[in-house]
């Protein structure tokens, strides 16, 4: 899977081949029968390879451990800090309905306008042509401005955004831990702030039967972090004390903390799937199970994937290798 992070230009300081023709990504999955095209596509293979590479990269590691932070990583964090600042500058408006605050549309319009500029600040000059293509995934990653909702399809767009940056050599193989712990974790913080501030609806959530209203990937990578942990077992994530003491080290527990802040009532009732998972004996079993569930519940679901966009970096063409 690491082949993705070993592309031309990914390790040596050379400009990638110039013949790359970038394009603005577009929808290709229009009817349910198109899903077969997606499953066979280079995009699916690269996307899944990327998720699994990072899954291995963070295995057994704490959020607070030491890892390399490259200039590209710093620039991505700065981009996310900008999105965060815009939330502060765009307070919710008074409106009759409690959910879906319309100020989100104002916030989103700013991103829509500035996305290419934000991306251009992250990528080197010789790759400037890639900005319009990569920026599409950034815009798709923060929720839907018409419905004012957010879900795992938007989260997948952010992972696709990072995957594209790997494919053009902006992110490299030794950035793996920082991609998850610094960039993706900061993204989660900003998304939680968006969800809280604008009371966003969960997109395509299966309610109590889904894993979580908004996110999926931090549970995969977060369970990988906990593999072979000397004392924290899966049952401990239902224990408030264990969560409070360890959430800063582990993404999975940070997610649990957010759920308990946002929801009331017994955990078994509002998050039944997660409650069931707590009975699984090992984190590695949970990790494998969540990867299977992610494929089945997110990547194989037409309502999620119909919104995914394909370009030159994540092509709809069938896998070649």
């Amino acid at each position: 899977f690491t082949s993705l992070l070993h592309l031309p230009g990914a390790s040596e300081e050379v400009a990638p081949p110039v013949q790359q023709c970038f394009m603005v990504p577009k929808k290709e999955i229009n009817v349910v029968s198109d899903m077969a095209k997606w499953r066979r596509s280079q995009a699916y293979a690269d996307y899944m390879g990327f998720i699994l590479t990072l899954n291995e990269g963070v295995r057994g590691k704490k959020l607070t451990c030491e890892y390399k932070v490259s200039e590209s990583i710093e620039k991505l964090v700065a981009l996310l800090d900008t999105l965060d600042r815009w939330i502060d500058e765009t307070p919710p408006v008074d409106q009759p309905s409690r959910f879906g605050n319309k100020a989100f549309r104002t916030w989103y319009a700013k991103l829509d306008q500035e996305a290419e500029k934000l991306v251009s600040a992250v990528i080197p000059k010789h790759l400037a042509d890639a900005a319009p293509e990569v920026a599409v995934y950034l815009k798709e990653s923060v929720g839907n401005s018409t419905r004012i909702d957010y879900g795992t399809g938007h989260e997948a767009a952010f992972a696709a955004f990072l995957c594209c940056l790997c494919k053009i050599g902006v992110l490299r193989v030794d950035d793996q831990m920082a991609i998850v712990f610094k960039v993706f974790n900061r993204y989660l913080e900003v998304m939680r702030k968006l969800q809280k501030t604008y009371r966003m609806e969960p997109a395509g959530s299966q309610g109590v039967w889904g894993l979580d209203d908004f996110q999926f990937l931090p549970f995969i990578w977060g369970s990988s972090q906990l593999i072979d942990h000397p004392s924290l077992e899966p049952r401990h994530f239902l224990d408030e004390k264990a969560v409070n003491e360890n959430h800063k080290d582990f993404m999975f527990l940070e997610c649990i903390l957010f759920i308990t802040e946002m929801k009331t009532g017994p955990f078994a009732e509002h998050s039944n799937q997660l409650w069931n998972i707590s009975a699984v004996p090992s984190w590695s079993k949970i990790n494998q199970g969540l990867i299977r569930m992610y494929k089945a519940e997110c990547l194989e679901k037409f309502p999620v994937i119909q919104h995914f966009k394909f370009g030159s970096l994540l092509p709809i063409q069938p896998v070649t290798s």
Side-chain angles (χ1 to χ4, degrees):
F1 299 119
T2 45
S3 62
L4 246 200
L5 295 152
H6 281 311
L7 286 142
S11 48
E12 322 82 61
E13 289 290 337
V14 293
V18 190
Q19 69 268 30
Q20 170 83 37
C21 278
F22 296 107
M23 60 180 277
V24 175
K26 57 184 203 299
K27 281 176 60 152
E28 299 277 1
I29 309 298
N30 300 307
V31 289
V32 176
S33 57
D34 287 338
M35 288 297 284
K37 272 201 303 196
W38 154 244
R39 282 194 291 271
R40 284 196 299 267
S41 71
Q42 190 65 51
Y44 182 90
D46 287 350
Y47 179 85
M48 213 48 228
F50 181 66
I51 299 301
L52 296 173
T53 298
L54 295 174
N55 189 57
E56 280 309 301
V58 300
R59 190 184 171 121
K61 306 278 198 309
K62 291 181 176 182
L63 285 168
T64 48
C65 74
E66 291 283 313
Y67 49 85
K68 173 184 169 270
V69 179
S70 65
E71 197 188 339
S72 296
I73 294 286
E74 297 283 15
K75 286 176 176 173
L76 282 165
V77 172
L79 182 158
L80 291 163
D81 290 344
T82 301
L83 302 189
D84 190 319
R85 192 181 73 243
W86 290 348
I87 302 174
D88 297 333
E89 293 165 5
T90 319
V93 294
D94 276 336
Q95 60 175 49
S97 65
R98 221 171 104 227
F99 287 94
N101 196 283
K102 290 180 179 56
F104 174 73
R105 292 183 182 146
T106 311
W107 179 90
Y108 183 85
K110 196 166 174 100
L111 173 62
D112 194 36
Q113 209 184 335
E114 302 283 329
E116 268 183 50
K117 207 162 88 184
L118 290 171
V119 171
S120 296
V122 175
I123 60 183
K125 292 276 181 285
H126 68 269
L127 289 169
D129 291 353
E133 176 163 349
V134 177
V136 167
Y137 296 104
L138 178 64
K139 288 192 280 194
E140 297 277 316
S141 74
V142 296
N144 180 287
S145 66
T146 311
R147 296 187 303 272
I148 314 182
D149 66 4
Y150 174 93
T152 50
H154 302 109
E155 177 191 69
F158 191 74
F161 166 68
L162 296 172
C163 182
C164 288
L165 291 173
C166 285
K167 293 196 82 168
I168 60 174
V170 171
L171 295 172
R172 298 159 187 226
V173 78
D174 54 358
D175 288 319
Q176 282 183 70
M177 283 169 69
I179 290 172
V180 179
F181 292 171
K182 250 194 137 45
V183 180
F184 193 80
N185 208 39
R186 184 73 184 101
Y187 165 76
L188 284 178
E189 289 170 2
V190 178
M191 292 309 105
R192 287 175 184 141
K193 188 166 168 177
L194 277 180
Q195 289 151 21
K196 271 183 175 164
T197 306
Y198 304 122
R199 303 299 298 268
M200 296 176 79
E201 300 272 9
S205 162
Q206 293 140 332
V208 58
W209 304 112
L211 184 67
D212 175 80
D213 281 343
F214 298 109
Q215 313 296 155
F216 203 114
L217 292 173
F219 292 97
I220 295 179
W221 295 331
S223 58
S224 181
Q225 281 185 278
L226 285 155
I227 290 173
D228 298 331
H229 191 283
S231 59
L232 284 171
E233 294 169 34
R235 62 189 173 90
H236 289 124
F237 77 72
L238 298 179
D239 172 11
E240 203 179 328
K241 185 169 177 285
V243 172
N244 286 334
E245 284 170 7
N246 297 285
H247 70 93
K248 285 189 168 58
D249 283 325
F250 300 104
M251 227 170 211
F252 194 102
L253 302 181
E254 194 65 70
C255 290
I256 299 294
L257 189 68
F258 185 67
I259 291 171
T260 54
E261 275 175 19
M262 298 297 278
K263 298 197 168 186
T264 50
F267 196 91
E269 284 174 25
H270 63 61
S271 303
N272 189 265
Q273 278 277 26
L274 279 168
W275 186 72
N276 289 337
I277 285 173
S278 70
V280 176
S282 76
W283 287 110
S284 64
K285 280 230 167 10
I286 288 179
N287 185 246
Q288 290 158 8
L290 286 174
I291 290 166
R292 281 196 304 275
M293 185 179 169
Y294 184 60
K295 288 178 180 169
E297 298 300 321
C298 300
L299 302 185
E300 312 251 318
K301 288 278 187 280
F302 175 73
V304 176
I305 295 305
Q306 64 172 332
H307 303 292
F308 198 90
K309 293 187 174 165
F310 301 84
S312 74
L313 296 167
L314 289 169
I316 188 70
Q317 281 71 30
V319 174
T320 45
S321 48

